[in-house]
């Protein structure tokens, strides 16, 4: 029970931290936080759909594909994480906490918070949803590491987003990805609490 409570608290905290970085720092500049974030930005830009709702829809849609690969428990925990993230995005997007915005500062700070949140989730064996799930499915089916398919899928979405909204977005998105993934690696290497699991295992 204690382990369940700890895991629940960390998943909620990780989702909230991720949403804080995205909603308050990255999304106001239309900077995609990843492949799913890029699709959410496009849905917001083209149809006016709220960023939090758009991200939840995209993430949940990809998660439906993962049930047979990773099992229901993986999907349930990930749904909890992406729901908290979406609620956090909706909340912080409506908070006028930054008087004078600076693109570079927002990019760096938002990416650090994004990576921190994702790292906390991954330490608990929980995906942050979206394209990461597809990359894990590809790597599982082809017995390769997920990094390459994840980068290629995200890069394609970043390019489409940049072509529709602003070409500079692809550079900002790639910088954000580099910073956030470095933070993810750092968080996953820390020993501040027992790791639930770092493995995404295909359902047997």
């Amino acid at each position: 029970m204690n382990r369940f409570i700890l895991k629940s608290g960390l998943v909620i905290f990780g989702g909230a931290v991720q949403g804080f970085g995205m909603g308050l720092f990255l999304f106001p500049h239309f900077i995609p936080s990843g492949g799913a974030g890029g699709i959410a930005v496009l849905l917001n830009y083209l149809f006016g759909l709220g960023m939090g709702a758009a991200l939840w829809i995209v993430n949940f849609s990809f998660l439906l594909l993962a049930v047979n690969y990773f099992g229901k428990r993986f999907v349930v925990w990930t749904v909890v994480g992406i729901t908290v993230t979406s609620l956090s995005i909706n909340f912080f997007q409506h908070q006028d906490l930054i008087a004078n915005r600076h693109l570079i500062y927002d990019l760096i700070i938002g990416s650090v918070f994004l990576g921190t949140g994702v790292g906390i989730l991954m330490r608990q064996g929980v995906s942050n949803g979206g394209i990461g799930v597809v990359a894990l499915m590809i790597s599982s089916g082809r017995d390769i590491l997920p990094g390459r398919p994840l980068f290629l899928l995200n890069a394609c979405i970043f390019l489409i987003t940049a072509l529709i909204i602003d070409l500079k977005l692809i550079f900002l998105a790639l910088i954000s990805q580099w910073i956030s993934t470095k933070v993810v690696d750092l968080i996953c290497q820390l020993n501040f609490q027992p790791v639930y699991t770092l493995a995404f295992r295909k359902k047997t």
Side-chain angles (χ1 to χ4, degrees):
M1 179 59 71
N2 290 336
R3 194 173 187 180
F4 174 80
I5 294 173
L6 177 61
K7 180 181 176 74
S8 299
L10 287 170
V11 169
I12 292 172
F13 180 67
V17 171
Q18 177 181 332
F20 174 75
M22 295 160 70
L24 190 61
F25 297 101
L26 299 179
F27 282 173
H29 299 285
F30 293 101
I31 300 174
S33 58
I39 297 175
V41 167
L42 284 176
L43 292 175
N44 173 262
Y45 182 80
L46 297 174
F47 306 108
L49 187 62
M51 294 292 287
L55 187 65
W56 192 92
I57 292 171
V58 173
N59 280 329
F60 186 75
S61 298
F62 284 121
L63 271 178
L64 292 177
L65 302 174
V67 175
N68 292 330
Y69 272 78
F70 303 113
K72 294 180 180 178
R73 182 174 297 181
F74 168 85
V75 172
V76 168
W77 278 113
T78 301
V79 167
V80 173
I82 66 174
T83 299
V84 173
T85 297
S86 296
L87 293 174
S88 180
I89 290 171
N90 279 336
F91 176 78
F92 287 110
Q93 269 195 315
H94 296 92
Q95 304 302 312
D96 190 19
L97 301 177
I98 303 176
N100 299 308
R101 287 194 172 277
H102 191 286
L103 174 60
I104 301 300
Y105 293 160
D106 283 359
L107 173 65
I108 295 173
I109 296 172
S111 300
V112 169
F113 277 109
L114 169 64
T116 301
V118 173
I120 293 172
L121 291 175
M122 292 190 69
R123 283 182 67 93
Q124 300 307 308
V126 177
S127 170
N128 62 323
I131 301 301
V133 173
V134 179
L136 288 170
M137 291 171 63
I138 294 173
S139 66
S140 177
R142 298 191 176 185
D143 196 26
I144 59 174
L145 294 174
R148 184 175 181 182
L150 180 62
F151 178 81
L152 292 175
L153 289 168
N154 281 340
C156 289
I157 295 173
F158 291 159
L159 178 59
I160 294 172
T161 304
L163 290 173
I164 293 176
I165 300 177
D166 191 336
L167 284 175
K168 72 178 181 182
L169 288 181
I170 191 170
F171 300 106
L172 297 175
L174 290 174
I175 293 173
S176 177
Q177 283 287 290
W178 184 82
I179 295 173
S180 63
T181 52
K182 291 294 182 182
V183 176
V184 168
D185 287 343
L186 176 63
I187 295 296
C188 288
Q189 290 171 359
L190 294 178
N191 292 316
F192 57 87
Q193 57 92 22
V195 179
Y196 183 80
T197 176
L198 286 177
F200 293 98
R201 298 182 183 275
K202 185 175 180 180
K203 182 180 176 183
T204 57

